[in-house]
Short mmCIF file of all heavy atoms in Angstrom, two decimals:
data_model
loop_
_atom_site.label_atom_id
_atom_site.label_comp_id
_atom_site.label_asym_id
_atom_site.label_seq_id
_atom_site.Cartn_x
_atom_site.Cartn_y
_atom_site.Cartn_z
N ILE T 1076 10.54 1.81 39.32
CA ILE T 1076 10.64 0.74 38.32
C ILE T 1076 11.97 0.01 38.44
O ILE T 1076 12.04 -1.22 38.42
CB ILE T 1076 10.48 1.32 36.90
CG1 ILE T 1076 9.04 1.81 36.69
CG2 ILE T 1076 10.81 0.28 35.84
CD1 ILE T 1076 8.81 2.47 35.36
N GLY T 1077 13.05 0.77 38.58
CA GLY T 1077 14.37 0.15 38.72
C GLY T 1077 14.47 -0.73 39.95
O GLY T 1077 15.01 -1.85 39.89
N ILE T 1078 13.93 -0.23 41.08
CA ILE T 1078 13.97 -1.03 42.31
C ILE T 1078 13.12 -2.29 42.16
O ILE T 1078 13.54 -3.38 42.57
CB ILE T 1078 13.48 -0.18 43.50
CG1 ILE T 1078 14.45 0.98 43.77
CG2 ILE T 1078 13.30 -1.04 44.74
CD1 ILE T 1078 13.99 1.92 44.85
N ALA T 1079 11.94 -2.15 41.56
CA ALA T 1079 11.06 -3.30 41.40
C ALA T 1079 11.67 -4.36 40.49
O ALA T 1079 11.61 -5.56 40.78
CB ALA T 1079 9.70 -2.85 40.86
N VAL T 1080 12.28 -3.92 39.38
CA VAL T 1080 12.89 -4.88 38.45
C VAL T 1080 14.07 -5.59 39.11
O VAL T 1080 14.21 -6.82 39.04
CB VAL T 1080 13.34 -4.15 37.16
CG1 VAL T 1080 14.19 -5.08 36.30
CG2 VAL T 1080 12.13 -3.67 36.38
N GLY T 1081 14.93 -4.82 39.78
CA GLY T 1081 16.06 -5.44 40.46
C GLY T 1081 15.62 -6.39 41.56
O GLY T 1081 16.18 -7.50 41.70
N PHE T 1082 14.62 -5.98 42.34
CA PHE T 1082 14.11 -6.83 43.42
C PHE T 1082 13.50 -8.10 42.86
O PHE T 1082 13.72 -9.20 43.38
CB PHE T 1082 13.09 -6.06 44.23
CG PHE T 1082 12.53 -6.81 45.40
CD1 PHE T 1082 13.29 -6.99 46.54
CD2 PHE T 1082 11.25 -7.35 45.36
CE1 PHE T 1082 12.79 -7.70 47.63
CE2 PHE T 1082 10.74 -8.05 46.44
CZ PHE T 1082 11.52 -8.23 47.58
N GLY T 1083 12.72 -7.98 41.77
CA GLY T 1083 12.09 -9.14 41.18
C GLY T 1083 13.10 -10.13 40.62
O GLY T 1083 12.96 -11.35 40.81
N MET T 1084 14.14 -9.61 39.96
CA MET T 1084 15.17 -10.50 39.42
C MET T 1084 15.93 -11.19 40.54
O MET T 1084 16.29 -12.37 40.42
CB MET T 1084 16.12 -9.69 38.54
CG MET T 1084 15.48 -9.14 37.28
SD MET T 1084 16.63 -8.17 36.27
CE MET T 1084 17.81 -9.44 35.81
N ASN T 1085 16.18 -10.48 41.62
CA ASN T 1085 16.90 -11.08 42.75
C ASN T 1085 16.06 -12.18 43.41
O ASN T 1085 16.58 -13.26 43.74
CB ASN T 1085 17.26 -10.01 43.77
CG ASN T 1085 18.10 -10.54 44.91
OD1 ASN T 1085 19.18 -11.07 44.69
ND2 ASN T 1085 17.59 -10.41 46.12
N ILE T 1086 14.77 -11.91 43.58
CA ILE T 1086 13.88 -12.92 44.17
C ILE T 1086 13.80 -14.15 43.28
O ILE T 1086 13.85 -15.30 43.75
CB ILE T 1086 12.47 -12.32 44.40
CG1 ILE T 1086 12.50 -11.33 45.56
CG2 ILE T 1086 11.45 -13.41 44.67
CD1 ILE T 1086 12.78 -11.96 46.90
N ALA T 1087 13.65 -13.92 41.97
CA ALA T 1087 13.57 -15.04 41.04
C ALA T 1087 14.84 -15.88 41.06
O ALA T 1087 14.79 -17.11 40.98
CB ALA T 1087 13.31 -14.51 39.62
N ASN T 1088 15.99 -15.23 41.20
CA ASN T 1088 17.25 -15.96 41.21
C ASN T 1088 17.43 -16.74 42.52
O ASN T 1088 17.86 -17.91 42.52
CB ASN T 1088 18.41 -14.98 41.03
CG ASN T 1088 19.75 -15.68 41.00
OD1 ASN T 1088 20.00 -16.54 40.15
ND2 ASN T 1088 20.63 -15.32 41.92
N GLU T 1089 17.08 -16.11 43.66
CA GLU T 1089 17.26 -16.76 44.95
C GLU T 1089 16.30 -17.92 45.16
O GLU T 1089 16.66 -18.95 45.74
CB GLU T 1089 17.10 -15.73 46.08
CG GLU T 1089 18.18 -14.67 46.12
CD GLU T 1089 19.54 -15.24 46.49
OE1 GLU T 1089 19.57 -16.29 47.18
OE2 GLU T 1089 20.55 -14.65 46.08
N LEU T 1090 15.05 -17.76 44.69
CA LEU T 1090 14.02 -18.77 44.93
C LEU T 1090 13.82 -19.70 43.74
O LEU T 1090 12.90 -20.53 43.75
CB LEU T 1090 12.69 -18.09 45.28
CG LEU T 1090 12.72 -17.17 46.51
CD1 LEU T 1090 11.34 -16.57 46.75
CD2 LEU T 1090 13.20 -17.92 47.74
N ASP T 1091 14.66 -19.52 42.71
CA ASP T 1091 14.57 -20.37 41.51
C ASP T 1091 13.18 -20.32 40.88
O ASP T 1091 12.59 -21.35 40.53
CB ASP T 1091 14.94 -21.81 41.86
CG ASP T 1091 15.22 -22.65 40.61
OD1 ASP T 1091 15.57 -22.06 39.57
OD2 ASP T 1091 15.07 -23.90 40.67
N LEU T 1092 12.65 -19.10 40.78
CA LEU T 1092 11.34 -18.93 40.16
C LEU T 1092 11.49 -18.78 38.65
O LEU T 1092 12.46 -18.20 38.17
CB LEU T 1092 10.65 -17.68 40.74
CG LEU T 1092 10.44 -17.67 42.25
CD1 LEU T 1092 9.79 -16.37 42.68
CD2 LEU T 1092 9.58 -18.86 42.69
N GLU T 1093 10.54 -19.30 37.91
CA GLU T 1093 10.60 -19.28 36.44
C GLU T 1093 9.52 -18.34 35.91
O GLU T 1093 8.43 -18.77 35.55
CB GLU T 1093 10.43 -20.68 35.89
CG GLU T 1093 11.53 -21.65 36.34
CD GLU T 1093 11.33 -23.06 35.79
OE1 GLU T 1093 10.33 -23.27 35.05
OE2 GLU T 1093 12.15 -23.93 36.09
N PHE T 1094 9.84 -17.04 35.89
CA PHE T 1094 8.88 -16.07 35.38
C PHE T 1094 8.63 -16.27 33.89
O PHE T 1094 7.58 -15.90 33.37
CB PHE T 1094 9.39 -14.64 35.61
CG PHE T 1094 9.34 -14.21 37.05
CD1 PHE T 1094 10.50 -13.91 37.75
CD2 PHE T 1094 8.14 -14.10 37.72
CE1 PHE T 1094 10.47 -13.51 39.07
CE2 PHE T 1094 8.09 -13.71 39.05
CZ PHE T 1094 9.25 -13.41 39.73
N SER T 1095 9.60 -16.84 33.20
CA SER T 1095 9.45 -17.03 31.75
C SER T 1095 8.34 -18.04 31.42
O SER T 1095 7.89 -18.11 30.28
CB SER T 1095 10.76 -17.52 31.13
OG SER T 1095 11.18 -18.75 31.72
N GLN T 1096 7.89 -18.82 32.42
CA GLN T 1096 6.83 -19.78 32.18
C GLN T 1096 5.44 -19.17 32.30
O GLN T 1096 4.44 -19.81 31.96
CB GLN T 1096 6.95 -20.96 33.16
CG GLN T 1096 8.28 -21.70 33.06
CD GLN T 1096 8.53 -22.24 31.66
OE1 GLN T 1096 7.61 -22.79 31.03
NE2 GLN T 1096 9.76 -22.11 31.19
N VAL T 1097 5.37 -17.92 32.80
CA VAL T 1097 4.09 -17.23 32.89
C VAL T 1097 3.68 -16.79 31.49
O VAL T 1097 4.49 -16.21 30.74
CB VAL T 1097 4.18 -16.03 33.84
CG1 VAL T 1097 2.85 -15.30 33.93
CG2 VAL T 1097 4.63 -16.49 35.23
N GLY T 1098 2.42 -17.04 31.13
CA GLY T 1098 1.97 -16.81 29.76
C GLY T 1098 2.22 -15.41 29.23
O GLY T 1098 2.77 -15.23 28.13
N VAL T 1099 1.83 -14.40 29.99
CA VAL T 1099 1.97 -13.01 29.52
C VAL T 1099 3.45 -12.65 29.36
O VAL T 1099 3.85 -12.08 28.34
CB VAL T 1099 1.29 -12.05 30.51
CG1 VAL T 1099 1.53 -10.60 30.08
CG2 VAL T 1099 -0.20 -12.34 30.61
N ILE T 1100 4.27 -13.02 30.35
CA ILE T 1100 5.70 -12.69 30.27
C ILE T 1100 6.35 -13.43 29.11
O ILE T 1100 7.19 -12.87 28.39
CB ILE T 1100 6.38 -13.03 31.61
CG1 ILE T 1100 5.77 -12.19 32.74
CG2 ILE T 1100 7.89 -12.80 31.52
CD1 ILE T 1100 6.36 -12.48 34.10
N ARG T 1101 5.97 -14.70 28.90
CA ARG T 1101 6.53 -15.46 27.78
C ARG T 1101 6.17 -14.83 26.45
O ARG T 1101 7.00 -14.75 25.53
CB ARG T 1101 6.04 -16.91 27.85
CG ARG T 1101 6.65 -17.79 26.77
CD ARG T 1101 6.32 -19.26 26.97
NE ARG T 1101 4.88 -19.50 26.91
CZ ARG T 1101 4.16 -19.84 27.97
NH1 ARG T 1101 4.72 -19.95 29.16
NH2 ARG T 1101 2.86 -20.06 27.84
N SER T 1102 4.96 -14.33 26.34
CA SER T 1102 4.54 -13.68 25.09
C SER T 1102 5.33 -12.40 24.83
O SER T 1102 5.73 -12.11 23.70
CB SER T 1102 3.04 -13.38 25.13
OG SER T 1102 2.29 -14.55 25.30
N VAL T 1103 5.56 -11.62 25.89
CA VAL T 1103 6.33 -10.39 25.75
C VAL T 1103 7.76 -10.69 25.34
O VAL T 1103 8.32 -10.04 24.43
CB VAL T 1103 6.30 -9.59 27.06
CG1 VAL T 1103 7.26 -8.40 26.98
CG2 VAL T 1103 4.89 -9.11 27.36
N PHE T 1104 8.39 -11.68 25.97
CA PHE T 1104 9.76 -12.05 25.62
C PHE T 1104 9.84 -12.52 24.16
O PHE T 1104 10.79 -12.20 23.43
CB PHE T 1104 10.27 -13.15 26.54
CG PHE T 1104 10.73 -12.63 27.88
CD1 PHE T 1104 10.71 -13.45 29.01
CD2 PHE T 1104 11.18 -11.33 28.02
CE1 PHE T 1104 11.12 -12.97 30.25
CE2 PHE T 1104 11.59 -10.84 29.26
CZ PHE T 1104 11.57 -11.65 30.37
N THR T 1105 8.85 -13.28 23.74
CA THR T 1105 8.84 -13.76 22.36
C THR T 1105 8.74 -12.61 21.38
O THR T 1105 9.46 -12.56 20.36
CB THR T 1105 7.67 -14.73 22.15
OG1 THR T 1105 7.79 -15.82 23.06
CG2 THR T 1105 7.65 -15.25 20.72
N TRP T 1106 7.89 -11.64 21.66
CA TRP T 1106 7.75 -10.47 20.77
C TRP T 1106 9.02 -9.64 20.73
O TRP T 1106 9.44 -9.18 19.67
CB TRP T 1106 6.58 -9.60 21.24
CG TRP T 1106 6.40 -8.37 20.39
CD1 TRP T 1106 5.79 -8.28 19.18
CD2 TRP T 1106 6.88 -7.06 20.71
NE1 TRP T 1106 5.84 -7.00 18.71
CE2 TRP T 1106 6.50 -6.22 19.63
CE3 TRP T 1106 7.56 -6.51 21.79
CZ2 TRP T 1106 6.80 -4.87 19.62
CZ3 TRP T 1106 7.86 -5.16 21.77
CH2 TRP T 1106 7.48 -4.35 20.70
N VAL T 1107 9.66 -9.47 21.88
CA VAL T 1107 10.89 -8.67 21.92
C VAL T 1107 12.00 -9.33 21.13
O VAL T 1107 12.73 -8.67 20.38
CB VAL T 1107 11.32 -8.45 23.39
CG1 VAL T 1107 12.72 -7.84 23.46
CG2 VAL T 1107 10.33 -7.55 24.10
N THR T 1108 12.16 -10.65 21.27
CA THR T 1108 13.25 -11.35 20.58
C THR T 1108 13.00 -11.46 19.08
O THR T 1108 13.96 -11.51 18.29
CB THR T 1108 13.44 -12.74 21.17
OG1 THR T 1108 12.18 -13.46 21.12
CG2 THR T 1108 13.91 -12.65 22.61
N GLU T 1109 11.75 -11.50 18.66
CA GLU T 1109 11.46 -11.68 17.24
C GLU T 1109 11.28 -10.37 16.49
O GLU T 1109 11.26 -10.37 15.25
CB GLU T 1109 10.19 -12.53 17.08
CG GLU T 1109 10.35 -13.97 17.57
CD GLU T 1109 9.07 -14.77 17.41
OE1 GLU T 1109 8.05 -14.15 17.00
OE2 GLU T 1109 9.10 -15.98 17.69
N SER T 1110 11.16 -9.25 17.17
CA SER T 1110 10.96 -7.95 16.52
C SER T 1110 12.30 -7.25 16.34
O SER T 1110 13.28 -7.53 17.03
CB SER T 1110 10.02 -7.07 17.34
OG SER T 1110 8.77 -7.71 17.53
N SER T 1111 12.33 -6.30 15.42
CA SER T 1111 13.55 -5.55 15.12
C SER T 1111 13.75 -4.45 16.16
O SER T 1111 12.77 -3.94 16.73
CB SER T 1111 13.48 -4.92 13.73
OG SER T 1111 12.36 -4.05 13.63
N PRO T 1112 15.00 -4.06 16.44
CA PRO T 1112 15.26 -3.00 17.43
C PRO T 1112 14.53 -1.69 17.16
O PRO T 1112 14.06 -1.06 18.12
CB PRO T 1112 16.78 -2.83 17.36
CG PRO T 1112 17.29 -4.16 16.89
CD PRO T 1112 16.24 -4.67 15.95
N PRO T 1113 14.41 -1.20 15.90
CA PRO T 1113 13.67 0.06 15.70
C PRO T 1113 12.21 -0.01 16.13
O PRO T 1113 11.59 1.02 16.40
CB PRO T 1113 13.79 0.29 14.18
CG PRO T 1113 15.01 -0.45 13.77
CD PRO T 1113 15.05 -1.66 14.64
N VAL T 1114 11.66 -1.22 16.20
CA VAL T 1114 10.28 -1.37 16.64
C VAL T 1114 10.22 -1.54 18.16
O VAL T 1114 9.35 -0.98 18.84
CB VAL T 1114 9.61 -2.57 15.94
CG1 VAL T 1114 8.20 -2.81 16.49
CG2 VAL T 1114 9.56 -2.35 14.44
N VAL T 1115 11.17 -2.30 18.71
CA VAL T 1115 11.15 -2.61 20.14
C VAL T 1115 11.50 -1.38 20.98
O VAL T 1115 10.85 -1.08 21.99
CB VAL T 1115 12.11 -3.77 20.44
CG1 VAL T 1115 12.21 -3.99 21.95
CG2 VAL T 1115 11.65 -5.04 19.75
N ALA T 1116 12.54 -0.64 20.56
CA ALA T 1116 13.04 0.47 21.37
C ALA T 1116 11.97 1.53 21.67
O ALA T 1116 11.75 1.89 22.83
CB ALA T 1116 14.25 1.11 20.71
N PRO T 1117 11.25 2.06 20.64
CA PRO T 1117 10.22 3.06 20.95
C PRO T 1117 9.10 2.50 21.84
O PRO T 1117 8.58 3.21 22.70
CB PRO T 1117 9.68 3.47 19.58
CG PRO T 1117 10.76 3.10 18.62
CD PRO T 1117 11.40 1.88 19.18
N ALA T 1118 8.75 1.22 21.62
CA ALA T 1118 7.68 0.63 22.43
C ALA T 1118 8.12 0.52 23.89
O ALA T 1118 7.35 0.83 24.81
CB ALA T 1118 7.32 -0.75 21.88
N VAL T 1119 9.36 0.08 24.12
CA VAL T 1119 9.86 -0.06 25.49
C VAL T 1119 9.93 1.30 26.17
O VAL T 1119 9.51 1.48 27.33
CB VAL T 1119 11.23 -0.76 25.50
CG1 VAL T 1119 11.84 -0.70 26.89
CG2 VAL T 1119 11.10 -2.19 25.03
N VAL T 1120 10.46 2.30 25.44
CA VAL T 1120 10.56 3.65 26.01
C VAL T 1120 9.18 4.20 26.35
O VAL T 1120 8.97 4.79 27.41
CB VAL T 1120 11.30 4.60 25.04
CG1 VAL T 1120 11.23 6.03 25.52
CG2 VAL T 1120 12.75 4.17 24.89
N GLY T 1121 8.21 3.99 25.44
CA GLY T 1121 6.86 4.48 25.69
C GLY T 1121 6.23 3.83 26.91
O GLY T 1121 5.62 4.51 27.75
#
């Protein structure tokens, strides 16, 4: 998971890809930013 996340972020940065424009990823980011940490943390860990 760590390698995949790092690799994906590096590819997105080098190729100027906008993953945030993908519907599913945008929805996840929106939920994470609008939810409280006690709710987000257990979900992310799970």
Side-chain angles (χ1 to χ4, degrees):
I1076 291 177
I1078 294 175
V1080 171
F1082 182 75
M1084 294 179 64
N1085 184 59
I1086 288 294
N1088 182 59
E1089 293 293 333
L1090 302 180
D1091 195 24
L1092 302 178
E1093 299 179 0
F1094 287 116
S1095 59
Q1096 301 302 317
V1097 180
V1099 176
I1100 298 178
R1101 183 171 62 249
S1102 301
V1103 172
F1104 280 154
T1105 302
W1106 178 80
V1107 170
T1108 55
E1109 294 180 354
S1110 302
S1111 59
V1114 175
V1115 174
V1119 171
V1120 172

